[in-house]
Amino acid sequence: MTLEIGLVLGILAVAFVLFVSEKFTVDKTAFFILISLLLFGIVSPEESVSGFSDNSVLTILCLMIIAIGLEKNGVVALMAKRIVPIMHWPIWLFLPLLMIVVGLLSSFIATTAVVIIFIKLVNELDKLGKIDKSKVLLPISFAGILGGSCTLMGTSTNLIVSGISNRSGIGTFSFFEFSLAGIIFILIAIPLVFILSNFFLPKHAEENNIDLGSKFAYITSVKIREGSKLIGKKPYETEIWDENDIRLIKIQRGKRYLKSDLKSEILQENDILWLDLTIEDLTSKSESLGLNILGVDQDLLEEQYTNEYHEVIILPNSRYVNMSVKEFNEQLPDNITVKAVNSEKDYEQNPNMIYKFFSKKFINPGNRVLLTGNVSEIQKIAHSNNLLFTNSVLTLPNIPTYKKIISLLAILLVIVLSATDTFSILKSALIGVALCLFTGCIQLKEAYSGINWQVIFLLAGMIPLGIAMKNTGTDDFIGNHLFLLLKSVPTSAVIALVFAFTMLMSGFISNNATAIILAPIVIVVAQKMHLNPKPLLYAVMFGANFSFYTPMGYQTNAIIYGMGIYKFKHFLLIGGILSAVLLLVASIILPVLYN
């Protein structure tokens, strides 16, 4: 073993400990790897930053932007809403069908985006008593993971393994190259997960389920947009006066609050109305009345469209206690915004209530706050800052129809161009992004804020590790030792071992990191054993994706785990059994289908 190989193995070992211990975020750990390789002279400066120009990383970036367009323009939500009628069917019929739909959508749209939309939809139906979400959410997450493994664009891991295959001279994967195996996995997994869910998942959600629609009222600001039915009318002639559920607190015109009799004031375009209303009215009446929901920070009165709201409760020891609403908003990341805070009805006795709303001590223990932004990031903030994450609400945004059509056309164009080998998947994805940007379906500002930069920096930081393993012969070194152990083992057993080890590893560190480390090694093993490397690469790809047995293995699992419905044992039991069955299936079908 040379000094360089020893250094690479040492960096790998430290990185593995950092990934497992979560001492740093995954992107920071990847940056540690990049800097370490550069400082020890294992890679050149150009090689150390080559991940940022890697075709796979750029493709993933483009597909993220297209997925943002689909989500922002309500395409995914519209698809989810269309299947609501089947949820009235018996659970033995609707749950398998729901898993098929989620899996199908996840094959072409970012898995996390699809699953989050369905989580919100299921939450809403659970509150109405239509379904028991504790029986549905975990199967939805698993279905998304399974579906994302069926096509080249389904997950970032698929694209990364394809890129490693191409750099090793094996060639890229075609769009549907491994879809048959993925479909077999889904067809076996769906009935198995359904049976296991019936036996082992709790019958009722164990969280405190709050009906946001009817129990709590919130204070927020809305802006009268062009064409609103409120323009030219007096408040008492509309649905925003005291006789109705929506109550008008103040009218803000420009930067000043009107001191006239609000009841008789003529409403104008661009007036900002401070309202007290339930979230049900917030999400439905705002569209019918022609209002844009702005939020509660006077310095951030921008027209921000959203179709998701996440409620958190301020707990006694939270660092946000005694802050003003403005200070609370400033403490949050840029991509998370306070949209409303539950009202105390003080304005009925106190005409200066709106000023109290922004006073230093408005945020108190027990306050309910509606936030918009990335749900997993909100859950992390809640966990580390003594906030109780209670619920999410999904609504269909009022988006022009042409934006929905073009967003859908963009993803279909990518699928057709890449699946027919007209263009590479990168070129197809770039064309899809251009279509979304130049037609105004998505703004660059929205793209920048919606991209999961942690994944991009993780991939860009890990790719130089693959280069270092190749340059130093580390992949050959590990591959040779594995060859000595496996040279007399049947092909199906080799695939099973690779699949099992990858699946085990991806349960504790990032699935992308797992694939980047293991894919070059299995290529060497395949060459030494004179095997077709494709089945082994598929074993790495599927094994890295199938992180079922821990809630940390995949982002969608982490999201539903953070909702407090499931315990670790539910993932370990159901996910563990599913993993074992898929391991057995993989050892049979991968050598048969692709050898």
Side-chain angles (χ1 to χ4, degrees):
M1 182 173 68
T2 65
L3 176 61
E4 285 187 326
I5 292 176
L7 287 172
V8 172
L9 291 176
I11 292 169
L12 259 176
V14 174
F16 184 82
V17 172
L18 291 176
F19 276 126
V20 173
S21 65
E22 296 183 331
K23 182 71 175 177
F24 300 128
T25 57
V26 291
D27 51 336
K28 191 177 288 187
T29 299
F31 194 72
F32 159 78
I33 294 171
L34 186 155
I35 290 297
S36 299
L37 295 172
L38 184 61
L39 288 177
F40 284 111
I42 300 171
V43 295
S44 67
E46 291 76 19
E47 288 173 329
S48 70
V49 296
S50 61
F52 291 99
S53 61
D54 183 83
N55 282 2
S56 303
V57 176
L58 294 175
T59 302
I60 292 164
L61 182 66
C62 290
L63 292 176
M64 282 183 180
I65 294 174
I66 295 172
I68 292 165
L70 288 167
E71 188 175 3
K72 290 283 185 184
N73 292 319
V75 176
V76 181
L78 183 62
M79 291 178 179
K81 289 282 189 180
R82 294 296 184 191
I83 68 161
V84 168
I86 75 167
M87 294 188 178
H88 301 293
W89 299 353
I91 190 168
W92 62 267
L93 187 56
F94 96 74
L95 185 54
L97 285 174
L98 181 62
M99 292 180 70
I100 290 171
V101 171
V102 172
L104 180 63
L105 291 176
S106 298
S107 298
F108 304 104
I109 304 171
T111 300
T112 303
V114 171
V115 173
I116 286 174
I117 291 293
F118 277 91
I119 287 173
K120 298 167 190 171
L121 181 64
V122 168
N123 268 332
E124 289 293 288
L125 294 172
D126 179 81
K127 288 187 298 179
L128 296 172
K130 305 293 185 183
I131 58 174
D132 180 359
K133 65 181 175 183
S134 62
K135 292 289 188 182
V136 177
L137 291 179
L138 187 141
I140 282 176
S141 178
F142 284 6
I145 296 170
L146 289 159
S149 304
C150 286
T151 66
L152 182 59
M153 67 184 292
T155 71
S156 55
T157 305
N158 302 353
L159 289 161
I160 288 297
V161 176
S162 175
I164 293 171
S165 174
N166 189 47
R167 287 194 295 274
S168 300
I170 300 167
T172 57
F173 300 163
S174 62
F175 195 87
F176 294 112
E177 183 172 316
F178 45 84
S179 296
L180 180 56
I183 291 170
I184 293 172
F185 287 136
I186 288 180
L187 293 177
I188 292 172
I190 286 177
L192 179 61
V193 171
F194 172 72
I195 293 169
L196 293 173
S197 298
N198 272 341
F199 279 103
F200 298 118
L201 290 184
K203 290 186 178 180
H204 299 286
E206 297 169 7
E207 62 180 327
N208 294 323
N209 193 15
I210 303 298
D211 185 347
L212 301 182
S214 58
K215 290 191 176 181
F216 297 99
Y218 293 83
I219 294 172
T220 190
S221 65
V222 297
K223 186 175 184 179
I224 299 178
R225 61 173 177 246
E226 182 182 359
S228 168
K229 63 172 68 174
L230 300 181
I231 296 174
K233 292 185 178 179
K234 297 178 181 179
Y236 75 88
E237 299 172 339
T238 70
E239 297 178 47
I240 57 172
W241 198 246
D242 289 356
E243 289 78 5
N244 300 288
D245 292 335
I246 305 175
R247 298 184 180 226
L248 177 65
I249 302 171
K250 281 286 182 181
I251 298 176
Q252 184 178 343
R253 191 162 289 163
K255 288 293 184 180
R256 66 185 183 89
Y257 296 103
L258 302 184
K259 298 184 181 297
S260 58
D261 179 15
L262 298 183
K263 187 174 182 178
S264 58
E265 184 67 39
I266 301 294
L267 298 175
Q268 301 177 12
E269 182 181 341
N270 295 325
D271 275 352
I272 294 168
L273 312 178
W274 287 91
L275 304 176
D276 171 38
L277 69 174
T278 65
I279 192 172
E280 184 179 60
D281 287 330
L282 181 68
T283 57
S284 60
K285 297 291 181 66
S286 59
E287 296 300 339
S288 63
L289 295 176
L291 303 171
N292 288 339
I293 302 170
L294 301 177
V296 297
D297 190 339
Q298 293 180 98
D299 294 332
L300 292 175
L301 295 181
E302 301 174 359
E303 297 181 13
Q304 298 176 353
Y305 293 96
T306 185
N307 67 319
E308 58 182 65
Y309 302 89
H310 310 289
E311 186 196 50
V312 296
I313 299 175
I314 309 294
L315 298 179
N317 296 323
S318 173
R319 70 186 184 93
Y320 301 118
V321 170
N322 289 335
M323 286 187 181
S324 67
V325 174
K326 180 179 177 180
E327 288 172 331
F328 180 22
N329 197 77
E330 289 172 346
Q331 294 291 317
L332 297 172
D334 291 340
N335 59 342
I336 297 176
T337 307
V338 176
K339 280 294 182 181
V341 179
N342 72 289
S343 63
E344 298 177 350
K345 306 296 183 182
D346 285 2
Y347 63 86
E348 294 180 5
Q349 291 81 31
N350 182 4
N352 296 318
M353 184 270 166
I354 194 67
Y355 301 104
K356 179 179 182 292
F357 189 64
F358 293 102
S359 68
K360 286 289 183 186
K361 296 184 178 181
F362 190 85
I363 299 293
N364 296 310
N367 274 141
R368 296 174 181 273
V369 182
L370 290 183
L371 304 175
T372 58
N374 183 278
V375 62
S376 57
E377 192 169 350
I378 290 172
Q379 286 180 334
K380 289 178 183 176
I381 291 171
H383 178 72
S384 58
N385 292 282
N386 270 1
L387 302 175
L388 178 62
F389 181 91
T390 62
N391 223 323
S392 298
V393 173
L394 168 70
T395 63
L396 285 177
N398 186 27
I399 303 294
T401 303
Y402 83 90
K403 288 190 175 184
K404 296 176 183 177
I405 294 173
I406 293 175
S407 299
L408 186 57
L409 283 176
I411 192 68
L412 291 175
L413 190 62
V414 174
I415 294 168
V416 171
L417 291 178
S418 54
T420 58
D421 289 330
T422 304
F423 298 129
S424 68
I425 190 166
L426 174 57
K427 189 172 182 179
S428 304
L430 285 168
I431 293 171
V433 170
L435 180 62
C436 289
L437 289 176
F438 292 117
T439 56
C441 288
I442 186 170
Q443 302 299 318
L444 280 174
K445 183 179 179 181
E446 293 175 324
Y448 295 150
S449 63
I451 289 170
N452 189 336
W453 292 108
Q454 188 179 68
V455 170
I456 299 300
F457 275 84
L458 166 67
L459 297 175
M462 289 295 296
I463 282 173
L465 177 61
I467 296 172
M469 291 175 67
K470 187 74 175 176
N471 290 349
T472 60
T474 304
D475 53 356
D476 280 325
F477 176 80
I478 299 173
N480 285 332
H481 282 76
L482 288 175
F483 169 67
L484 294 175
L485 294 172
L486 301 174
K487 61 182 179 180
S488 58
V489 176
T491 302
S492 59
V494 174
I495 289 174
L497 288 169
V498 170
F499 192 96
F501 185 76
T502 307
M503 195 186 301
L504 181 66
M505 190 171 169
S506 68
F508 297 96
I509 73 172
S510 159
N511 47 2
N512 287 318
T514 299
I516 289 171
I517 293 169
L518 295 182
I521 295 171
V522 301
I523 290 173
V524 173
V525 171
Q527 292 169 344
K528 296 287 182 183
M529 297 183 71
H530 303 291
L531 298 175
N532 180 358
K534 284 285 184 77
L536 292 179
L537 285 172
Y538 297 153
V540 169
M541 184 187 71
F542 284 118
N545 282 326
F546 291 169
S547 306
F548 299 114
Y549 66 95
T550 73
M552 297 81 71
Y554 208 91
Q555 189 178 28
T556 57
N557 287 349
I559 291 170
I560 63 170
Y561 182 63
M563 296 173 69
I565 302 170
Y566 304 112
K567 297 180 180 178
F568 188 93
K569 67 179 183 182
H570 295 124
F571 290 91
L572 186 61
L573 187 59
I574 298 175
I577 294 172
L578 177 61
S579 298
V581 171
L582 294 182
L583 169 62
L584 177 62
V585 174
S587 66
I588 297 170
I589 68 170
L590 291 182
V592 171
L593 294 177
Y594 304 108
N595 195 16

